[in-house]
Amino acid sequence: MRCTIALLSLPLACGAAALHFKIQIPGVCSSLLSLIGYDDMEFPSHNHVEIPNAGAPVYSTATPYWLEHIHHQGVSAFNPDRSYQVFRNVKNFGAKGDGVTDDTAAIQQAISSGSRCAPGRCQSSTITPAIVYFPAGTYLISSSIIDFYNTQIIGNPNDLPILRATANFVGFGVIDGDQYQPGGSQGFGSTNVFFRQIRNLVIDITNTPSASEITGIHWPTAQATSLQNIVFRMSDSPGTQHRGLFIENGSGGFISDLDFHGGLRAAWFGNQQFTMRNLRFYNAVTAINQLWDWGWTYKSITVVNCSFGIDMTLNGADRGPQTVGSVTIIDSTFRDTPVAIKTAHTASSQPPTGGSLIIENVRVENVPTIVQSPNGVVLSGSAGTTTVSTWGQGHTYIGTHGQVELQGPLPAPVSRPASLLAGDKYYERSKPQYADSPESQIWSTRIGGALGDGITDDTAALQNVLDGAASEKAIVFFDAGTYKITKTLYIPPNSRIVGESYSVILSSGRFFADINDPQPVVKVGNPGQAGRVEWSDMIVSTQGPQAGAILIEWNLASDGDVPSGMWDVHARVGGFTGSELQVAQCPKTPNIETPPAAINELCIGAFMSMHVTKLASNLYLENVWIWTADHDLDDATSTQISVYSGRGLLVESSRGVIWL
């Protein structure tokens, strides 16, 4: 069972067998409005408001960004094409970014070159990773940029590049993350679209006529994916049909630090489960239209001057079963918005848990209606300011009382320990990008002697780089590659580590093979050590039978106001080229009951994925995916496999504080 836990700000996912579910939405463009019953709806009018300094962190100065200027020498270790290029600057492929030239073809070439995994032709691949980098500039886009599998699209965080749709734009999304194919299916199975990101961009569709049903980003997605630091600019003219972000299916992911300006529906969301943090909406008709979900967590959402905040009423009480499972809204603000939340839940809703809503620490200002249900207003607001500490709509299940209808404050107070808070909100921190760091502060692992070719033992070379960088307060840059190690790799206190296109640390050999003597693959600090570590954009994996491998052991105690952190760091066991735990070695065995039959010991890939030990403290985890593969990512048909690991995440910390 693949599962996803969304607590506060982290989707933490684990599992060995996938349970997939998706919805097909025919006629995604024009007929989607009539499908959800909004094509003839009258929307309350609202006055445009100017938002000073609006946006996720946008810097006005064109400070050079080190990622653009360092020498890139990353490799794809198991790609047979030894000339394969991981890092791609769109300007090296002919894009101008001058606001005049049509850059569509050049950008698409930067994404597609090198026989990469394209939608409709390939389901998934771990051997064709890419970073597609945008320097500062304005890039005219006349048709959809089609995203490929295992791609990170990154802009300069010091001067966000603008992707501006032309007036005659043709396509679904300015960036289409899973292109629909002839016949109506999507190019990738949306529950298996892993390992991709988009960050540091402005998506501007204001030059496109407001009556055009254009979307900024189309993003059906799954685990180990993220959107960060993106601004969506849409028309807020009467009758606008613009959409910012559209997600109609998938199985999880993470999104933070997005700004939406204008639009009919700034964001449309449907997915199994998701965590979203720090989304801000201004001057939209509807900020968020919740299409469907199993469970959804919003934290630090801000809605200003929209007609509706969050609309959960698709297939509402008068139109059949609920499509929205549950929505949780934490530490959020609604201002100058007539209706903050629309729900479809009634006492007779089906399924019984459908349409559930939980509100915690939500501030409203000049919001006449906080919650509106099919039966009318169920939580009133006012022209003033108020804070809703807790409120719920749905059912409670307490003790032996069975199912009890809830519509009001939660029956028990919610504990909010002060140690987890920053002010009156739960602590949160976005992935550091070290935007102001000079190139001289970036230490390359390949320059330091590691090869990352998946064959050479890189243990000693990596350890030398990590030790030296920590002592010099430098940032370790793991050039793209697969770094084979045969002994524990130690990350010293005060390390800062960044991967390139999910660089892989790969354990191998007898040292990690003894199930009775487990050893960490990566050890962060020693027990009793204090300091801080920041680690992002990497994968820790194993090769072959590694029954004693603890992929990540976190011992470090971090004191002070700023915790240590892991962002977009994933534990992956099996199912990829080089793992030696694929279809050929570990085929599925559906007709063999285990136990009583013995498992294949050659397919035990790990003892444990991550261990936070007793003396560890002050650790912040965001978008960390812990996955024992249920299928082979490099098999043409994504064939299921039987790979085993003993444990997922064990948190033994007796000191706290741990954010998950």
Side-chain angles (χ1 to χ4, degrees), residues 334-341 359 362-373 376-388 391:
F334 297 83
R335 189 170 80 240
D336 301 328
T337 297
V339 178
I341 305 164
I359 298 172
V362 171
R363 176 186 172 92
V364 295
E365 179 181 341
N366 189 26
V367 174
T369 298
I370 301 174
V371 181
Q372 177 181 306
S373 79
V377 177
V378 293
L379 182 59
S380 297
S382 69
T385 300
T386 188
T387 297
V388 180
W391 195 89

Side-chain angles (χ1 to χ4, degrees), residues 111-131:
I111 291 174
S112 63
S113 70
S115 300
R116 301 194 64 229
C117 185
R121 299 200 301 269
C122 167
Q123 280 300 302
S124 57
S125 171
T126 68
I127 66 171
T128 56
I131 286 180

Side-chain angles (χ1 to χ4, degrees), residues 228-548:
Q228 179 187 0
N229 195 21
I230 303 172
V231 178
F232 296 85
R233 295 176 181 166
M234 298 162 279
S235 170
D236 62 1
S237 300
T240 181
Q241 299 296 307
H242 287 184
R243 303 177 289 255
L245 176 58
F246 181 51
I247 302 173
E248 75 274 37
N249 52 35
S251 63
F254 179 76
I255 290 176
S256 69
D257 307 324
L258 308 187
D259 270 24
F260 300 83
H261 300 267
L264 173 62
R265 295 173 187 85
W268 287 26
F269 294 147
N271 197 288
Q272 290 176 1
Q273 60 275 311
F274 233 106
T275 299
M276 295 185 173
R277 180 178 62 71
N278 197 27
L279 276 57
R280 294 175 286 191
F281 301 86
Y282 307 98
N283 302 319
V285 177
T286 299
I288 298 172
N289 185 215
Q290 196 77 39
L291 294 170
W292 72 276
D293 68 55
W294 296 350
W296 210 279
T297 300
Y298 293 109
K299 184 186 183 302
S300 301
I301 303 299
T302 300
V303 176
V304 179
N305 200 51
C306 298
S307 297
F308 302 105
I310 300 176
D311 189 342
M312 300 166 55
T313 62
L314 177 67
N315 283 350
D318 58 344
R319 297 187 227 170
Q322 300 277 318
T323 59
V324 175
S326 69
V327 171
T328 300
I329 307 168
I330 303 172
D331 294 344
S332 296
T333 300
F334 297 83
R335 189 170 80 240
D336 301 328
T337 297
V339 178
I341 305 164
K342 291 180 65 179
T343 72
H345 180 84
T346 67
S348 59
S349 289
Q350 293 296 322
T353 57
S356 299
L357 171 67
I358 296 294
I359 298 172
E360 180 184 332
N361 191 34
V362 171
R363 176 186 172 92
V364 295
E365 179 181 341
N366 189 26
V367 174
T369 298
I370 301 174
V371 181
Q372 177 181 306
S373 79
N375 297 324
V377 177
V378 293
L379 182 59
S380 297
S382 69
T385 300
T386 188
T387 297
V388 180
S389 57
T390 66
W391 195 89
Q393 185 181 57
H395 294 122
T396 62
Y397 300 85
I398 301 174
T400 60
H401 298 294
Q403 178 178 298
V404 177
E405 183 73 17
L406 170 68
Q407 185 169 282
L410 300 188
V414 174
S415 174
R416 294 171 65 93
S419 59
L420 292 174
L421 303 179
D424 66 342
K425 298 182 178 181
Y426 287 112
Y427 178 85
E428 59 187 46
R429 185 183 175 203
S430 296
K431 177 170 66 180
Q433 301 191 62
Y434 310 111
D436 297 327
S437 297
E439 293 174 57
S440 60
Q441 203 172 13
I442 310 301
W443 286 30
S444 158
T445 52
R446 281 178 62 86
I447 290 177
L451 296 184
D453 60 6
I455 300 171
T456 305
D457 186 347
D458 284 325
T459 312
L462 290 177
Q463 195 62 66
N464 287 338
V465 173
L466 288 166
D467 291 344
S471 65
E472 296 294 329
K473 299 182 179 179
I475 298 166
V476 175
F477 181 69
F478 271 75
D479 306 86
T482 299
Y483 296 84
K484 181 177 176 179
I485 64 172
T486 56
K487 299 287 185 180
T488 297
L489 188 65
Y490 167 69
I491 297 179
N494 305 316
S495 294
R496 292 178 292 171
I497 302 169
V498 179
E500 180 183 32
S501 199
Y502 299 113
S503 316
V504 179
I505 296 173
L506 184 71
S507 75
S508 183
R510 298 181 61 182
F511 182 76
F512 302 106
D514 188 349
I515 198 170
N516 296 309
D517 185 22
Q519 301 292 332
V521 177
V522 177
K523 180 169 63 172
V524 183
N526 287 314
Q529 278 191 311
R532 194 168 79 210
V533 165
E534 297 173 352
W535 187 11
S536 60
D537 294 319
M538 289 189 63
I539 296 172
V540 182
S541 292
T542 61
Q543 183 180 65
Q546 298 279 266

Side-chain angles (χ1 to χ4, degrees), residues 7-11 254 275 277 299 427 620-623 660:
L7 299 177
L8 305 182
S9 57
L10 163 75
F254 179 76
T275 299
R277 180 178 62 71
K299 184 186 183 302
Y427 178 85
Y620 181 90
L621 305 179
E622 188 165 85
N623 200 27
L660 300 178

